[in-house]
């Protein structure tokens, strides 16, 4: 209920001993009437540099502070939201009691700015009594305990009040004749209780405010007063004042029990709940049999219905004669304050609760107990909850971070070490939203597509790819401006890889292969030809032609280049094959393609590692003409395997067909010849057909010890026709470079016949397009593990430049 606030300017100006009142700004004060209290709150924005409350009755003014406030029934504190709260008992000092049906209090709020200038704001609070007084009422405030009981008249022996024959007492007016009997533990008497009787004026000096109204007797004291004692009730600490007041009324000495007890234990965490306990039937206050009639819970000055309490998770239950109040940490109605402690996020939780209890027992027909308590849990570590909502098939990361109170704001997001700029989020497909919860907290939802350049990718094999989000979320805590950085790593796997694909064709120059990139970074793959990694040394050595395009890399291996395998030689031509492989660096997964081609040849000499020599000779252009069918080796019995009109093919072992072996250092030279040898003896040759003189020298060079290699020559450049130091230099192919090992796996051609060939003097690399891996200018471009040196002109286009070897 909102109380009536009267501003009696003309009256206050005459009575006010403080200062001239200032006009009250709208919305800065809120006043309410509760069961037994005035409630006055001041907005936190209006408190100023310093502030205080004064209360006034007639010409008497007193500042609300310290011990006086506790003894006189005033409680001043900051509530959960930072507003200043003044709660005043209707029976407090300086409150005008109008026949105990209406209560008035003049309050001055004084604030001071940073320059020391004060302003005063008077508020006349008026509250009617809304709920009739109970025979006994107990109040457990945050800074004091209070008990008031109904004052009854003899001769009736009313419940809770006894009359006896008057005893001699010190005479005086009013309360001067009253006595207070305190019962306190007698530790020296075996644990019993002892009594100590003091006059009322002595009790006042001890910190006890005792007073009487037309119908009630009142006792109030601050916590920790003398003659109060502590009691352990289970795990709960209780402060007790056990007192009886003796007073004289019409020649009769009356006694009334004025005991009061309040729980002073603090709240604690029990699992995820804030737990606070208090005795249900403390013997000091309850006289069995005991009947609990009413139990109400309020938060922030408002009673909660059972439905609302259930929705918020608030619970009160009896646990072995102890009432336990459970409130979920962070539940609605409380206030959360965020902190950063040693780099970790933590929260403090504050909630202002009050309880109203009513019970019956044998001593009192009705007792009401009102308990006000500010429960707080400080610096509780609260790990940020990351919820991974990513659905890989949707091709974007979706993660939520929760749960944050309103004093936390997301200030910055860093992905892979790079800040995500707010103004670039939308057009890059990045989304950030803030979603509230009913308990006044909220979560952040962050979404980023897999295709973002800040998302690293890793190929796992079997067409699976892993996307990883390395994020750092920087939160700002208000009002202190503390920064909390939360790191998050989220992975998602998706079978979305389009593997590189190889296609080949035969050209007039050699074997042409197209290596399509697929949709993963080509730098993760290595390109091999004939088991040898394609690097610039091999490219220059073999005269390869490389041409990167937007979708594929073009590779042409010329005839007789390294990496080319020779599978057969016939009149149709030379059968060659090129094995091109792409091998993934981490998974060792392979994509291979073998392209076979037949190249027409007129003559060729092949020295095979198995100790054979294969030769094709061409008799075209010989004058007089030579019939290929009439040719033979040094051993006339060794005739061609196959002939046509001009060519003949021989295949023989180096230790047959008249082959002559000579030693030169650590090498062996094998020599033979192809001669024109008609099938009839010379003495029978017709004179009209003279025998043409035809000889073609053949030769192979092999090491005397060690493995032999394949070499190919033109018969006209046979090593038998040159000095030995130049013999190998004339070979079209001479295998000296071996396939590279890659971990446990090697790529090898079935015949292992990879050769070195005649070097092309210059190689030009033309880059027409960039592959998918490269979206911005770079100084070096890696395609399937081969580095291309590229330069940019002012126009932004790629220049065609001669390739520089590593």
């Amino acid at each position: 209920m909102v109380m009536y606030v009267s501003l009696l300017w003309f009256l206050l100006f005459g009575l006010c001993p403080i200062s001239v009142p200032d006009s009250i700004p709208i919305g800065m004060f809120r006043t309410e009437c509760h069961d037994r209290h005035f409630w006055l709150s001041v907005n936190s924005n209006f408190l100023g540099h310093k502030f205080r409350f004064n209360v006034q009755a007639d010409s008497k003014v007193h500042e609300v502070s310290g011990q006086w406030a506790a003894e006189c029934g005033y409680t001043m504190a900051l509530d959960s939201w930072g507003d200043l709260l003044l709660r005043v008992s209707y029976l407090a000092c300086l409150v005008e009691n109008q026949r105990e049906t209406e209560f008035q209090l003049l309050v001055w709020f004084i604030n001071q700015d940073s320059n020391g200038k004060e302003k005063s704001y008077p508020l006349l609070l008026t509250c009617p009594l809304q709920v009739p007084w109970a025979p006994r009422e107990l109040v457990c405030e945050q800074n004091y305990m209070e008990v008031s009981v109904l004052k009854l008249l003899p001769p009736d022996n009313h419940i809770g009040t006894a009359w006896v024959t008057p005893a001699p007492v010190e005479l005086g007016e009013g309360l001067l004749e009253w006595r207070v009997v305190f019962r306190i533990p007698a530790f020296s008497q075996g644990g019993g209780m002892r009594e100590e009787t003091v006059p009322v004026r002595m009790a006042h000096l001890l910190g006890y405010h005792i007073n009487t109204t037309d119908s009630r007797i009142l006792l109030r004291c601050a916590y920790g007063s003398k003659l109060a004692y502590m009691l352990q009730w289970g795990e709960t600490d209780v402060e007790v004042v056990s007192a009886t007041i003796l007073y004289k009324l019409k020649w009769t000495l009356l006694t009334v029990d004025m005991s009061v007890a309040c729980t002073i234990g603090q709240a604690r965490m029990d699992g995820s709940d804030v737990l606070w306990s208090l005795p249900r039937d403390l013997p000091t206050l309850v006289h069995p049999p005991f009947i609990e009639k009413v139990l109400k819970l309020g938060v922030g000055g408002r009673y909660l219905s059972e439905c609302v309490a259930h929705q918020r998770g608030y619970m009160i239950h009896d646990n072995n004669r102890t009432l336990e109040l459970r409130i979920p940490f962070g539940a609605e109605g409380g206030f959360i304050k965020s902190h950063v402690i040693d780099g970790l996020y933590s929260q403090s939780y504050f909630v202002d609760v009050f309880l109203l209890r009513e019970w019956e027992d044998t001593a009192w027909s009705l007792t009401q107990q009102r308990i006000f308590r500010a429960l707080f849990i400080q610096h509780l570590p609260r790990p940020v909850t990351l919820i991974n909502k990513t659905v890989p098939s949707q091709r974007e990361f979706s993660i939520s971070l929760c749960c944050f109170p309103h004093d936390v704001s997301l200030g910055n997001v860093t992905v892979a070490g790079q800040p995500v700029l707010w103004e670039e989020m939308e057009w890059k497909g990045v989304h950030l939203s803030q979603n509230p919860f009913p308990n006044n907290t909220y979560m952040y939802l962050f979404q980023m597509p897999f295709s973002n350049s800040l998302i690293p990718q890793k190929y796992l094999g079997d067409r699976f790819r892993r996307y990883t989000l390395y994020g750092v979320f920087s939160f700002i805590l208000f009002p202190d401006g503390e920064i909390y950085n939360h790191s998050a790593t989220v992975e998602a796997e998706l079978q979305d890889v389009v593997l590189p694909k190889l296609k080949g064709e035969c050209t007039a120059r050699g074997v042409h292969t197209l290596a399509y990139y697929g949709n993963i970074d080509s730098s993760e793959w290595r390109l091999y030809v004939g088991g040898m990694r394609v690097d610039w040394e091999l490219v220059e050595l073999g005269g390869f032609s490389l041409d990167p395009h937007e979708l594929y890399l073009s590779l042409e291996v010329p005839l007789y280049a390294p990496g080319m395998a020779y599978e057969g030689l016939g009149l149709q031509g030379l059968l060659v094959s090129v094995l091109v492989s792409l091998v993934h660096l981490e998974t060792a997964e392979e994509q291979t393609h073998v392209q076979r081609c037949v190249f027409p040849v007129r003559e060729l000499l092949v020295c095979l590692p198995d100790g054979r020599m294969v030769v094709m000779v061409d008799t075209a252009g010989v004058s007089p003409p030579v019939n290929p069918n009439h040719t033979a080796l040094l051993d006339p019995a060794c005739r061609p395997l196959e002939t046509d009109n001009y060519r003949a093919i021989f295949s023989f072992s180096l230790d047959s067909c008249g082959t002559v072996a000579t030693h030169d250092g650590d090498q062996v030279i094998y020599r033979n010849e192809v001669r024109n040898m008609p099938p009839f003896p010379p003495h029978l040759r017709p004179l009209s057909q003279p025998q043409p003189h035809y000889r073609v020298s053949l030769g192979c060079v092999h090491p005397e010890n060690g493995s032999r290699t394949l070499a190919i020559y033109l018969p006209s450049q046979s090593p038998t026709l040159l000095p030995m130091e130049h013999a190998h230099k004339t070979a079209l192919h001479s295998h000296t470079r071996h396939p590279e090992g890659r971990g446990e796996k090697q790529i090898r051609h079935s015949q292992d016949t990879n050769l070195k060939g005649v070097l092309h003097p210059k190689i030009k690399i033309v880059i027409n397009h960039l592959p998918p891996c490269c979206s911005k200018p770079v100084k070096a471009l890696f395609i399937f593990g081969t580095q291309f040196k590229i330069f940019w002109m002012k126009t932004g286009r790629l220049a065609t430049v001669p390739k520089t070897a590593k």
Side-chain angles (χ1 to χ4, degrees):
M1 173 181 177
V2 178
M3 71 177 67
Y4 175 69
V5 181
S6 176
L7 302 179
L8 305 179
W9 295 99
F10 64 93
L11 179 60
L12 294 177
F13 188 76
L15 296 177
C16 177
I18 302 175
S19 63
V20 177
D22 292 276
S23 59
I24 297 179
I26 298 176
M28 293 297 102
F29 296 95
R30 183 167 60 91
T31 57
E32 296 180 351
C33 296
H34 288 252
D35 295 348
R36 297 293 182 262
H37 292 82
F38 301 98
W39 285 54
L40 170 61
S41 63
V42 184
N43 191 288
S44 59
N45 297 323
F46 192 62
L47 298 182
H49 185 66
K50 293 182 179 180
F51 57 84
R52 70 179 186 274
F53 282 113
N54 287 348
V55 289
Q56 177 180 352
D58 297 327
S59 60
K60 186 176 182 181
V61 177
H62 209 294
E63 180 180 349
V64 178
S65 63
Q67 184 74 15
W68 182 90
E71 293 180 13
C72 281
Y74 292 82
T75 300
M76 185 172 65
L78 295 175
D79 67 12
S80 298
W81 305 103
D83 294 338
L84 178 63
L85 173 65
L86 176 66
R87 189 165 48 235
V88 184
S89 169
Y90 287 167
L91 301 179
C93 305
L94 305 186
V95 172
E96 183 181 349
N97 185 341
Q98 300 178 358
R99 297 183 300 276
E100 300 189 0
T101 59
E102 186 175 88
F103 305 88
Q104 282 189 345
L105 176 65
L106 177 57
V107 179
W108 290 83
F109 175 73
I110 300 99
N111 62 6
Q112 184 183 97
D113 60 22
S114 57
N115 296 323
K117 182 180 179 181
E118 288 189 346
K119 291 186 177 181
S120 302
Y121 304 92
L123 299 103
L124 182 61
L125 312 181
T126 302
C127 284
L129 184 68
Q130 302 177 44
V131 180
W133 294 97
R136 181 173 67 157
E137 296 198 2
L138 308 171
V139 176
C140 294
E141 256 290 4
Q142 298 192 41
N143 59 333
Y144 66 84
M145 300 185 289
E146 178 183 285
V147 55
S148 70
V149 299
L150 185 63
K151 183 167 59 175
L152 298 178
L153 300 177
D156 298 330
N157 186 8
H158 195 274
I159 296 176
T161 304
W163 64 274
V164 295
T165 302
V169 296
E170 181 182 352
L171 299 179
E173 295 182 358
L175 296 178
L176 295 179
E177 300 181 5
W178 291 29
R179 298 286 185 274
V180 184
V181 179
F182 291 96
R183 290 173 292 279
I184 55 178
F187 299 107
S188 60
Q189 299 179 9
M193 302 291 288
R194 65 180 181 86
E195 293 185 349
E196 187 166 333
T197 304
V198 298
V200 167
R201 58 187 175 186
M202 178 60 70
H204 285 173
L205 295 176
L206 293 173
Y208 291 87
H209 178 82
I210 300 174
N211 203 354
T212 181
T213 67
D214 291 344
S215 62
R216 304 192 71 78
I217 300 174
L218 169 72
L219 180 146
R220 184 188 303 113
C221 66
Y223 291 109
S225 296
K226 293 183 178 180
L227 303 181
Y229 62 92
M230 299 300 300
L231 179 68
Q232 188 77 24
W233 182 268
E235 297 182 359
T236 304
D237 293 326
V238 182
E239 184 168 332
V240 180
V241 172
S242 180
T244 299
I245 290 182
L246 292 79
Y247 65 99
K248 180 181 178 183
L249 186 64
K250 295 182 179 180
W251 306 107
T252 302
L253 184 65
L254 300 178
T255 64
V256 58
D257 184 8
M258 299 296 289
S259 297
V260 62
C262 292
T263 301
I264 62 172
Q266 299 298 320
R268 60 183 177 88
M269 288 299 299
D270 185 36
S272 60
D273 293 335
V274 177
L275 175 63
W276 184 60
S277 305
L278 66 155
R280 182 179 69 91
D281 51 356
L282 191 68
T284 307
L285 303 180
V286 177
H287 305 275
F290 161 81
I291 301 175
E292 185 92 57
K293 301 186 66 176
V294 174
L295 179 59
K296 289 183 180 182
L297 171 64
V299 174
R302 298 285 186 274
Y303 286 114
L304 300 181
S305 66
E306 292 185 6
C307 179
V308 171
H310 179 74
Q311 288 176 350
R312 297 183 182 181
Y314 292 26
M315 294 186 300
I316 301 178
H317 64 92
D318 187 352
N319 181 12
N320 191 26
R321 299 175 62 195
T322 298
L323 293 179
E324 292 185 343
L325 170 62
R326 289 182 175 272
I327 300 176
F329 187 96
E332 183 181 357
F335 175 78
I336 300 176
K337 177 70 176 70
S338 299
H339 312 273
V340 180
I341 306 295
D342 295 331
L344 300 178
Y345 178 68
S346 64
Q347 293 178 348
S348 297
Y349 180 62
F350 306 85
V351 56
D352 291 318
V353 301
F354 68 95
L355 293 176
L356 171 63
R357 298 183 62 200
E358 294 184 1
W359 69 81
E360 292 180 4
D361 58 22
T362 56
W364 300 94
S365 60
L366 181 64
T367 297
Q368 287 185 346
Q369 184 183 35
R370 291 175 176 85
I371 305 171
F372 299 87
R373 183 68 63 184
L375 307 181
F376 58 90
I377 300 293
Q378 289 188 321
H379 301 160
L380 179 70
R382 300 290 286 178
V384 174
T385 301
L386 186 147
I387 303 174
N388 185 7
K389 299 181 177 181
T390 303
V391 179
S393 60
Q394 296 178 359
R395 303 191 59 80
E396 75 170 3
F397 285 106
S398 180
I399 61 174
S400 64
L401 298 167
C402 79
C403 300
F404 299 99
H406 285 278
D407 65 345
V408 177
S409 178
L410 181 59
N412 185 46
V413 179
T414 301
V415 176
Q418 298 295 321
V420 179
L421 302 179
W422 305 120
E423 59 271 16
E424 296 181 1
M425 276 190 173
E426 186 171 351
W427 67 270
K428 287 189 175 181
V430 181
H431 300 283
L432 180 66
S433 59
Q434 188 183 77
N435 303 323
F437 292 112
N439 64 350
N440 290 322
T441 64
Y442 57 87
M443 75 171 183
Y444 284 101
L445 178 65
F446 180 77
Q447 296 170 299
M448 174 175 277
F450 291 168
S451 59
N452 192 284
S453 60
L454 299 178
I455 301 297
Q457 306 174 9
K458 182 179 181 180
Y459 181 58
L460 304 177
D462 195 25
R463 296 183 54 246
F464 278 94
R465 173 164 36 193
R466 177 184 296 145
Y467 299 89
T468 306
L469 170 67
Y470 297 102
V472 177
F473 299 84
S474 299
F475 296 91
I476 303 174
L477 279 56
F478 295 100
D480 303 325
E482 291 183 279
I483 301 296
Y484 168 66
N485 293 317
H486 181 78
S487 300
T489 300
V490 183
E491 296 179 343
E493 296 181 4
L494 184 62
Q495 195 175 26
D496 65 343
V497 171
V498 177
L499 294 174
K501 184 170 59 174
L502 298 168
K503 289 185 177 181
E505 62 180 356
C506 304
T507 66
R509 181 173 178 263
V511 177
H512 186 212
T513 301
L514 300 179
Y516 290 88
Y517 304 121
N519 65 354
I520 56 177
D521 190 349
S522 64
S523 65
E524 297 182 19
W525 298 82
R526 291 293 180 263
L527 178 63
Y528 293 83
V529 172
M532 294 178 290
R533 178 180 167 184
V534 177
D535 54 18
W536 284 115
E537 179 185 356
L538 182 62
V539 169
E540 291 185 334
L541 183 67
F544 293 179
S545 175
L546 288 175
D547 187 7
H549 292 260
E550 183 177 6
L551 300 178
Y552 59 87
L553 174 68
S554 173
L555 168 68
E556 187 172 36
V557 179
L559 184 62
Y560 307 127
M564 187 168 284
Y566 302 91
E567 299 184 357
L569 180 63
L571 295 177
Q572 296 79 12
L574 178 64
L575 176 61
V576 302
S577 65
V578 174
L579 171 64
V580 180
S581 304
L582 288 170
V583 181
H584 194 265
L585 287 175
E586 296 191 15
T587 66
E589 188 171 344
E590 293 183 25
Q591 300 294 313
T592 61
H593 177 75
V594 177
Q595 181 65 40
R596 289 179 171 82
C597 297
V598 177
F599 292 94
V601 293
R602 300 301 301 175
E603 58 178 356
L604 201 66
L605 170 62
V606 181
C607 301
L608 295 175
D610 61 358
R612 291 184 306 113
M613 189 185 302
V614 179
V615 62
M616 175 187 288
V617 294
D618 183 12
T619 63
V622 176
S623 180
V626 173
N627 186 345
N629 290 317
H630 294 170
T631 57
L633 300 175
L634 290 178
D635 183 349
C638 294
R639 295 285 179 172
L641 295 177
E642 188 178 3
T643 62
D644 62 9
N645 292 335
Y646 300 102
R647 295 174 299 168
I649 296 178
F650 296 88
S651 178
F652 58 94
S653 174
L654 295 180
D655 58 0
S656 66
C657 295
T659 304
V660 177
T662 60
H663 294 267
D664 185 355
D666 59 352
Q667 293 182 324
V668 181
I669 303 173
Y670 299 90
R671 292 184 173 89
N672 210 318
E673 289 184 353
V674 177
R675 299 178 177 182
N676 182 27
M677 300 184 67
F680 43 82
H683 66 279
L684 297 178
R685 181 176 65 242
L687 295 178
S688 59
Q689 295 182 355
Q691 176 68 30
H693 180 75
Y694 177 78
R695 293 179 61 185
V696 177
S697 296
L698 308 176
C700 289
V701 180
H702 290 297
E704 185 170 9
N705 298 309
S707 60
R708 296 174 174 178
T709 59
L710 181 145
I712 298 178
Y713 307 88
L714 293 176
S716 60
Q717 296 179 335
S718 172
T720 59
L721 304 178
L722 299 170
M724 289 311 301
E725 62 269 19
H726 300 296
H728 279 299
K729 295 181 180 180
T730 64
L732 297 177
H733 279 293
S734 179
H735 182 124
T736 58
R737 176 168 173 168
H738 298 277
E740 297 182 9
R742 295 177 302 282
E744 299 179 355
K745 208 164 187 179
Q746 290 186 351
I747 298 179
R748 297 182 180 273
H749 193 273
S750 59
Q751 297 186 13
D752 198 19
T753 55
N754 302 299
L755 313 172
K756 285 185 178 179
V758 177
L759 302 184
H760 285 239
K762 293 182 180 180
I763 301 173
K764 178 179 288 188
I765 305 300
V766 180
I767 302 179
N768 294 322
H769 300 87
L770 287 176
C773 68
C774 307
S775 59
K776 56 185 179 180
V778 292
K779 293 182 178 180
L781 173 65
F782 288 85
I783 304 177
F784 294 132
T786 303
Q787 184 182 30
F788 292 84
K789 301 289 186 178
I790 61 178
F791 302 88
W792 296 84
M793 300 192 304
K794 292 182 179 179
T795 59
R797 300 186 174 218
L798 284 171
T800 301
V801 297
K803 185 263 148 199
T804 303
K806 287 185 179 178

